[in-house]
Amino acid sequence: MIPRPEITEVNRAYWDGLAEGRLQFQRCTACGAAWLPPRGACPNCLAPEPTWERSRGRGRLISWVVYRHAYADHLKERLPYNVAIVELDEGPRLLTNIVDSAEGHGFYVGARLTLALEEEEGLALARFRLAETER
């Protein structure tokens, strides 16, 4: 069983958006900074009350690692698996998985990616796949 996120007033729009088929991020109305994960105030200028924007679901691969050892029991059956940092075209970065290859075959820094929403144990998760031009 995967660990469940704690849903709060700060991150509820993020999780609700994924459940409805869209990836959302926050943007500061004061300085224009954009980010994930959700926060109550801008991490750049500390302005309160950011807005939510919908991502187009495209980005690029910044970095990744392939795990061959499970550091938690719920990950044992997934070995090997990758964890990646993806930068959305809108600017925010998020920690996620690339679904094309657990081993990382075909991955490279800057590879174009598209959103691949997946449901796991009733929870919608933002994962990514290599864009058609990368395959």
Side-chain angles (χ1 to χ4, degrees), residues 64-71 75-83 101-105:
W64 74 95
V65 63
V66 174
Y67 286 93
R68 299 182 192 300
H69 176 80
Y71 292 96
L75 297 171
K76 287 180 182 175
E77 63 190 45
R78 297 172 188 253
L79 292 174
Y81 64 93
N82 67 67
V83 176
S101 169
E103 294 274 355
H105 299 295

Side-chain angles (χ1 to χ4, degrees), residues 28-109:
C28 180
T29 56
C31 73
W35 65 87
L36 279 171
R39 301 171 60 126
C42 176
N44 185 53
C45 73
L46 302 179
E49 301 178 19
T51 60
W52 285 95
E53 291 185 21
R54 183 177 184 165
S55 172
R56 292 184 305 274
R58 295 188 299 268
R60 65 188 182 101
L61 184 58
I62 299 297
S63 183
W64 74 95
V65 63
V66 174
Y67 286 93
R68 299 182 192 300
H69 176 80
Y71 292 96
D73 287 341
H74 73 279
L75 297 171
K76 287 180 182 175
E77 63 190 45
R78 297 172 188 253
L79 292 174
Y81 64 93
N82 67 67
V83 176
I85 298 173
V86 172
E87 183 177 72
L88 299 174
D89 287 350
E90 296 88 358
R93 291 181 176 186
L94 68 152
L95 202 57
T96 185
N97 308 106
I98 310 299
V99 299
D100 294 296
S101 169
E103 294 274 355
H105 299 295
F107 296 4
Y108 64 91
V109 173

Side-chain angles (χ1 to χ4, degrees), residues 14 17-25 36 53-61 86-90 94-100 111-119 124-132 135:
Y14 174 80
L18 290 178
E20 295 167 6
R22 65 186 183 279
L23 174 59
Q24 300 182 124
F25 61 92
L36 279 171
E53 291 185 21
R54 183 177 184 165
S55 172
R56 292 184 305 274
R58 295 188 299 268
R60 65 188 182 101
L61 184 58
V86 172
E87 183 177 72
L88 299 174
D89 287 350
E90 296 88 358
L94 68 152
L95 202 57
T96 185
N97 308 106
I98 310 299
V99 299
D100 294 296
R112 296 296 299 161
L113 304 168
T114 57
L115 182 63
L117 289 175
E118 291 189 341
E119 186 174 314
L125 299 170
R127 293 185 172 141
F128 285 78
R129 71 177 62 256
L130 292 170
E132 287 296 324
R135 294 187 217 175

